[in-house]
Amino acid sequence: MSDLETNRCRICGGTECGVLMDFGPRPITKRLLPTPDASGEFTHHIKLDICHTCGFVQILDTVPERELYSEYALQSTWKPQPHFLDEIAKLKEFAALAPADFIMEIGCNDGSALLSLREQGMVKVLGVEPSSDVAAIAKSRGFDVINDFFNTERAEAVVSGHGLCDLLICRQVLEHVAYLDDFMLAIRAVLKEGGHLMLEVPDFNVPLQYGDVSAIWEEHVNYFTEESLRFLLLKHGFTPVHTCRYDFSGGALTIIARKGYRPTTPPTPPREFASNTMFAQRAAQSAAVVAAFLQQQGYSPREVAIYGAGNRAVILLNRFLGDLVGLVVDDQPEKQGRFLPQSGKRVHPSDSLVKSGIKVCLLAVNAENEEAVIRRNKTFLDQGGSFFSVLSPSRYLIR
Ligand SMILES: [Zn+2]
């Protein structure tokens, strides 16, 4: 039975979940189209739910996996993640990571993190990755990769083929997982007693603070705070030993934890309903702030552009920015000439900012990439154009 049928919270098991925000029928955000006509495209009614017991924010009625992950081949390459080197340093410090350790990475993608580990002297590594195209890239880099989803059924085969690992790394994966308890049991099953687990997830506290609705993406079915992630770990017998945060992709939260015994009675769930429920109000406020800013400056939509055709930009355009923005630009060649789902806007190269007489360009790229975009568009700035950001966190954010 699915979470939706039982209305059961994935974290605490409470059955009193309610709708926090209703997004209506939404297309698959990352599926850019060859024509502006989106009729006949798949849509799914997206509702953001909240647990009245612990306050965990989640999407219970999830988009079928075959719709979400069948076209991963169209995705561009994995983003650079310089903060992983700091995570390795933290693993050496808090998890006694040593060169002889056997490390498993769930969701290894194209093997970038495994490569960093190898460069740091950790050579006994194994990746698990469900998407065959990126798994093939990891394999071509000389890594042993199991091309499959990870669950308790799979864990048994992994252990019989490779043995138990000393460290399990799982980065930017848990937020996609609808079967959280089974996933955590599978992690326990492949990890030695006393071994360590490092989880990295998007930090919901960042969009919560800014009311940034671009974080609500149909691929992310779980919205973790430090409290809810710690609770999940404790519930499954992991003791958190270190927590850190990074300015990566809208804010990342990392916890390193040690495997111990599973408690017979679960720990007390977080009490985040009051704080997390604020998200809906803040999202409405931040949308109103952007609209008011553009109106006060006297910009008409044909003078306003958005830079970025990634999932966060598409979500904002479909939620409230569509009528305020006349031009969409992005410098990834594979996106140019294609049309954004629902808004039907065509993606242009960024030299269109100058050609089209744009006065203000709204940045919809992660903070770590903003300066590079601004540098590349110096001509636009020289001719009087200006940049502001619509994604949190950012020093250029319209507030
Ligand atoms: Zn709950």
Side-chain angles (χ1 to χ4, degrees), residues 191-203:
L191 192 56
K192 280 180 191 166
E193 282 305 317
H196 286 83
L197 163 66
M198 188 186 86
L199 294 176
E200 180 190 310
V201 295
D203 183 359

Side-chain angles (χ1 to χ4, degrees), residues 9-14 17 51-56 58 269:
C9 169
R10 291 194 193 104
I11 288 278
C12 77
C17 291
C51 169
H52 288 255
T53 306
C54 72
F56 188 58
Q58 57 207 298

